[in-house]
Amino acid sequence: MAATESGTSSSSRLRIQFLGSGRAAADFAPPPLGAELLVGRPAGDVSPDLPLDAPSVSRRHAAIAFSDGEWRIRNLGKGGTLVDQVPLGEGERRVL
């Protein structure tokens, strides 16, 4: 997954490319203050905001939030979340 920001301040949108998933890139508006966009694999009771239907994706894979003028990603699993080709540790956050 690769991300780029467009716009300014709280109107910033995030363009996400889902690398290797076959899914087209998509633009997302910031979620409400304090909320996160869940990235994951749809299954059972999990209905992610950014669904990726691939066996390598956890049901709750990562969370993306907009705070203090920056987009941030948080790894929710034990691995598999990369930012700029660098893996995030479990629970680690990174500015996009």
Side-chain angles (χ1 to χ4, degrees), residues 2-22:
T4 57
E5 185 180 352
S6 63
T8 58
S9 68
S10 62
S11 67
S12 294
R13 296 182 63 80
L14 186 69
R15 181 161 187 77
I16 298 178
Q17 294 177 312
F18 302 92
L19 304 176
S21 72

